[in-house]
C-alpha cells in the first residue's frame, strides 16, 4: 500500500516508520523544513527509544521517505493519515482544529483516484464530518472516504504500542475504506490485534473516553494517596490491593505529581467542552481536570514543607523534567508548575533530565542545568525526583548525601523504599505513605552534614 502521513511529530513519525516496517511504502510529510531536513540527514527530531534504528532501516530499504510538500505523496496514496497537532485552543480549551482543517484543504487539492483520508489526530466528535465537507468543497470531483483511526500509543513505548496494540479502532461504515484499512493493518491483524470497526463518531469519542478514563484513574489514586498520608496508610499497598482485582487492573494506579503530557490535559478539557456543548456534561471529568490542575502546585508545597516550611534562599535540585520517562516531551509536564512554584517561593532551582533539557530550556526561566544527577544534587538543600527515569532508580545515596547541603529527598514517584533512605540518613518524603515513614530513625544516622535538623513542623 502507498501511505502518506501528514504531520511527522510523535504520532506521525512513529506511525509512518511502523507502517513502512510492515512493508508499505510511506512518505512522512511535515511543513517544518528543519524537521524534514534532520530526518533526511538521519537525525531524529524527537527522542523515542528504537525510533532512529527503525527509521534508518526503512529508509535504507526504500520504503520510507520524507517531504515538506504533500502533493506527490498524496497523489499516489491509497491512504492519507492526518497526524497534525490538536492543541488546546487559547481561551476556551476546546481542541484547536485549524491544523486539521488546513491539512484537509491541502490534501483535497491533490487527491487522485479513490483515497482514504484517515484522521489519526485526536479530534472532537464530528470533526470527520467537517473534514469531509472541506474536501468535498475544495475538490468536488474527488473520490474519497474520511474515516477515523485514533492513535493510542504512549510516548516512550510508542513503537511497541503501535506494533502490539490492544486494539485498532477504525471508524467508518464504508466497505471500500474498511478493505483499505484492513490491508494496511494486516500484519497486526494476523497477530490477533483486534480491529474494531465502528461508526466515525463512535471512534472519535472512543479516544477521548479512553484518555479521560485513564486520567480519572490516575487522579483517583492521587486523591487516595492524600488520604493515605492523613490516616497513616500506604498508597502503594492500597493500589496493589485494588489492582490485583481484574475488574480494576493495576495500570495507571501509581500516585504521583499529577498527569501531564501532550494528551491527557488537553483531551480531558476538550471532552468537557464537547459534553457541555451537547448539554451532557461529564462532571466526573470536570472534577478530574480541576483536581489535577491543583495537584502540581500542591507538590511544590510538599517540597517546601520538606524543607522546613520555606525554600527562600535554598537550592532545590530537580531530577526529571519530562512529563514521563523515555521521552523528551515537556508539554504540560508537572515539573513546569512545580519549578515555577518553588521559584515563586524564593528557591534557586537546578535540574537534570536525561533527554528533556533542550526542550525545557525553551519553556523554563531561571533554571540552571546539571550534567548528571550528582552534579545536580551538589550543594542542594533538597533533591526532588519529579520523573522516574531508570537512571534515577539506583542512585548512589552515600555520594548524593556527601555532596548535598542537607539530606532531604522528596520522591514524587515513590521509586525508593522509605526504610532504606531513612537508614541512609535522609529525611525522605514521598506520596501517599505514612508520614512517620518520612522521618529519620534517629538523629545520629543523619550524620555530620545534617545542618538543618528537622523540626517537628518540617517533618510533618
Ligand atoms: N503524542 C502522543 O503521545 C499522542 C498519542 C496519541 C494521539 N496523539 C494525537 O496525535 C496528534 C499529533 O500529536 P503529536 O504529539 O504527534 O504532535 P506533534 O506536535 O509532535 O506533531 C505534529 C506535526 O504536524 C506538523 N504539521 C502541522 N500542520 C501540518 C500540515 N498542514 N502539513 C504538514 N505538517 C503539519 C507540525 O509541524 C508537527 O511536526 C494530536 O492530535 C495528538 O492529540 C498524540
Amino acid at each position: 500500500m502507498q501511505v502518506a502521513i501528514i504531520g511527522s511529530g510523535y504520532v506521525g513519525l512513529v506511525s509512518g516508520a511502523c507502517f513502512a516496517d510492515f512493508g508499505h511504502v510511506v512518505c512522512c510529510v511535515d511543513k517544518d523544513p528543519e524537521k524534514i531536513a534532520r530526518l533526511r540527514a538521519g537525525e531524529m527530531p524527537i527522542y523515542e527509544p528504537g525510533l532512529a534504528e527503525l527509521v534508518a532501516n526503512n529508509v535504507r530499504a526504500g520504503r520510507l521517505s520524507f517531504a515538506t510538500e504533500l502533493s506527490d505523496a498524496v497523489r499516489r496514496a491509497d491512504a492519507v493519515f492526518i497526524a497534525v497537532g490538536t492543541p488546546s485552543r487559547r481561551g476556551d480549551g476546546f481542541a484547536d482544529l485549524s491544523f486539521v482543517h488546513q491539512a484537509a484543504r491541502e490534501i483535497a487539492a491533490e487527491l487522485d483516484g479513490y483515497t482514504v483520508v484517515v484522521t489519526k489526530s485526536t479530534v472532537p466528535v464530528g470533526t470527520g464530518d467537517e473534514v469531509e465537507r472541506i474536501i468535498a468543497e475544495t475538490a468536488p470531483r474527488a473520490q474519497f472516504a474520511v474515516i477515523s483511526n485514533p492513535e493510542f500509543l504512549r510516548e516512550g513505548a510508542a513503537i511497541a504500542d503501535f506494533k502490539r496494540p490492544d486494539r485498532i479502532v477504525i471508524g467508518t461504515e464504508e466497505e471500500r475504506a474498511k478493505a483499505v484499512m484492513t490491508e494496511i493493518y494486516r500484519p497486526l491483524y494476523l497477530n490477533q490485534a483486534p480491529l474494531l470497526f465502528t461508526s466515525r463518531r463512535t471512534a472519535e469519542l472512543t479516544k477521548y473516553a479512553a484518555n479521560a478514563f485513564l486520567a480519572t484513574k490516575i487522579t483517583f489514586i492521587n486523591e487516595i494517596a492524600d488520604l493515605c498520608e492523613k490516616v497513616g496508610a500506604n498508597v502503594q499497598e492500597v493500589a496493589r490491593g485494588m489492582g490485583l482485582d481484574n475488574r480494576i487492573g493495576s495500570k495507571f494506579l501509581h500516585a504521583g505529581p499529577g498527569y501531564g503530557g501532550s494528551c491527557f490535559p488537553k483531551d480531558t478539557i476538550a471532552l468537557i467542552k464537547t459534553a457541555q456543548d451537547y448539554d451532557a456534561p461529564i462532571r466526573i471529568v470536570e472534577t478530574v481536570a480541576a483536581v489535577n490542575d491543583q495537584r502540581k502546585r500542591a507538590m511544590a508545597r510538599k517540597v517546601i514543607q520538606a524543607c522546613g516550611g520555606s525554600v527562600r534562599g535554598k537550592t532545590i535540585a530537580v531530577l526529571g523534567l519530562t512529563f514521563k520517562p523515555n521521552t523528551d516531551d515537556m508539554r504540560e509536564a508537572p515539573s513546569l508548575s512545580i519549578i515555577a512554584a518553588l521559584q515563586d517561593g524564593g528557591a534557586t532551582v537546578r535540574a537534570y533530565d536525561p533527554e528533556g533539557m533542550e526542550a525545557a530550556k525553551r519553556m523554563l526561566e531561571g533554571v540552571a542545568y546539571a550534567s548528571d544527577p550528582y552534579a545536580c544534587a551538589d550543594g542542594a538543600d533538597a533533591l526532588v525526583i519529579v520523573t522516574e527515569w531508570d537512571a534515577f532508580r539506583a542512585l548512589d545515596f552515600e555520594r548524593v548525601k556527601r555532596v548535598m547541603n542537607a539530606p532531604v529527598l522528596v520522591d514524587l514517584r515513590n521509586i525508593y523504599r522509605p526504610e532504606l533512605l531513612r537508614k541512609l540518613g535522609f529525611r525522605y518524603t514521598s506520596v501517599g505513605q505514612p508520614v512517620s515513614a518520612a522521618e529519620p530513625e534517629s538523629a545520629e544516622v543523619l550524620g555530620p552534614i545534617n545542618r538543618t535538623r528537622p523540626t517537628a513542623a518540617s517533618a510533618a
Side-chain angles (χ1 to χ4, degrees):
M1 288 259 140
Q2 293 277 345
V3 174
I5 311 268
I6 313 305
S8 306
Y10 288 87
V11 166
L13 186 55
V14 170
S15 308
C18 289
F19 283 142
D21 214 43
F22 296 167
H24 303 306
V25 178
V26 180
C27 181
C28 285
V29 180
D30 203 289
K31 55 161 48 157
D32 178 348
E34 195 196 316
K35 203 171 260 191
I36 294 302
R38 289 179 69 181
L39 284 165
R40 283 180 168 161
E43 227 182 274
M44 290 305 105
I46 56 167
Y47 175 74
E48 179 61 45
L51 186 60
E53 294 80 352
L54 192 72
V55 167
N57 289 344
N58 285 284
V59 168
R60 211 175 303 122
R63 290 190 299 262
L64 181 60
S65 60
F66 305 101
T68 49
E69 294 298 327
L70 53 66
S71 41
D72 290 344
V74 169
R75 257 185 250 135
R76 60 171 182 260
D78 299 296
V80 180
F81 287 78
I82 300 176
V84 300
T86 47
S88 275
R89 188 163 68 189
R90 226 174 264 248
D92 65 359
F94 193 74
D96 176 353
L97 295 172
S98 57
F99 301 104
V100 172
H101 293 165
Q102 178 60 24
R105 274 188 286 275
E106 292 171 23
I107 292 164
E110 305 295 343
L111 288 176
D112 185 5
Y114 180 78
T115 312
V116 181
V117 178
V118 188
T119 311
K120 200 164 239 332
S121 299
T122 302
V123 293
V125 69
T127 303
D129 304 0
E130 184 61 9
V131 169
E132 190 172 275
R133 194 191 61 73
I134 290 171
I135 297 178
E137 208 174 85
T138 315
R141 278 197 293 279
Q143 286 180 286
F144 68 98
V146 173
I147 78 160
S148 166
N149 170 219
E151 183 49 57
F152 296 94
L153 63 76
R154 292 163 302 169
E155 288 173 19
I159 295 168
D161 281 354
F162 196 91
K163 289 191 163 187
R164 283 186 291 284
D166 292 333
R167 76 311 206 180
I168 301 151
V169 175
I170 296 173
T172 181
E173 273 142 14
E174 295 195 26
E175 292 307 321
R176 202 169 166 189
K178 279 186 198 172
V180 170
M181 294 305 283
T182 304
E183 183 56 24
I184 285 177
Y185 280 109
R186 194 163 48 88
L188 299 185
Y189 186 61
L190 294 175
N191 283 346
Q192 312 280 308
L195 283 188
L196 195 67
F197 287 102
T198 68
S199 75
R200 193 163 64 197
R201 285 184 165 237
T202 300
E204 289 168 337
L205 190 55
T206 302
K207 172 66 188 175
Y208 281 99
N211 271 4
F213 189 82
L214 293 173
T216 303
K217 214 173 163 188
I218 293 171
T219 306
F220 181 86
I221 202 68
N222 282 341
E223 290 206 305
I224 293 291
D226 290 348
L227 182 58
C228 283
E229 288 177 15
K230 297 277 162 60
V231 302
N234 184 323
V235 74
Q236 282 175 299
E237 290 166 16
V238 171
R240 190 165 154 73
M242 288 172 64
L244 285 170
D245 184 330
N246 284 334
R247 293 169 302 177
I248 297 172
S250 59
K251 293 190 177 151
F252 285 75
L253 280 184
H254 301 287
Y259 60 78
S262 64
C263 293
F264 288 0
K266 77 172 174 64
D267 292 347
T268 43
I269 301 292
L271 178 63
I272 290 166
K273 296 288 170 202
T274 301
Q276 286 169 352
D277 286 352
Y278 282 88
D279 201 19
I282 307 181
R283 301 272 184 241
I284 195 165
V285 182
E286 291 175 9
T287 305
V288 163
V291 168
N292 191 67
D293 216 35
Q294 289 175 14
R295 185 162 187 85
K296 298 171 187 176
R297 280 186 89 87
M299 292 299 110
R301 290 199 293 277
K302 192 186 252 299
V303 175
I304 291 168
Q305 214 171 30
C307 289
S310 169
V311 288
R312 187 156 301 282
K314 292 185 175 163
T315 297
I316 308 297
V318 171
L319 291 186
L321 294 168
T322 51
F323 83 96
K324 63 157 139 174
N326 295 323
T327 180
D328 59 350
D329 201 339
M330 283 293 300
R331 289 177 280 186
E332 302 289 331
S335 66
L336 297 171
S337 314
I338 294 170
I339 288 174
L342 292 172
Q343 289 173 325
D344 288 348
T348 298
V349 174
R350 192 189 305 128
Y352 170 72
D353 187 283
E355 295 291 339
M357 292 194 288
E358 279 315 306
K361 283 174 190 166
R362 295 192 288 272
M363 302 171 89
L364 283 164
E365 275 176 29
V367 172
Y369 294 91
S371 54
D372 64 56
Y374 303 99
C376 189
D378 197 3
D381 297 284
L383 183 65
V384 186
I385 298 173
V386 178
T387 314
E388 69 280 30
W389 284 87
D390 278 350
F392 307 149
R393 285 182 184 272
L395 293 173
D396 173 354
F397 276 105
E398 295 290 355
R399 186 174 164 198
V400 170
K401 195 172 133 190
R402 261 198 317 274
V403 299
M404 284 185 76
N405 189 40
V408 176
L409 178 64
V410 183
D411 177 2
L412 298 181
R413 299 289 182 171
N414 291 350
I415 60 176
Y416 284 104
R417 288 211 315 276
E419 323 82 73
L420 183 81
L421 271 293
R422 273 190 296 147
K423 219 176 232 156
L424 287 166
F426 278 85
R427 278 164 51 203
Y428 177 78
T429 306
S430 54
V431 176
Q433 292 177 326
V435 168
S436 60
E439 294 191 55
E441 275 178 342
S442 71
E444 282 71 52
V445 290
L446 284 168
I449 69 156
N450 178 35
R451 287 185 279 267
T452 50
R453 282 276 292 280
T455 60
S458 68

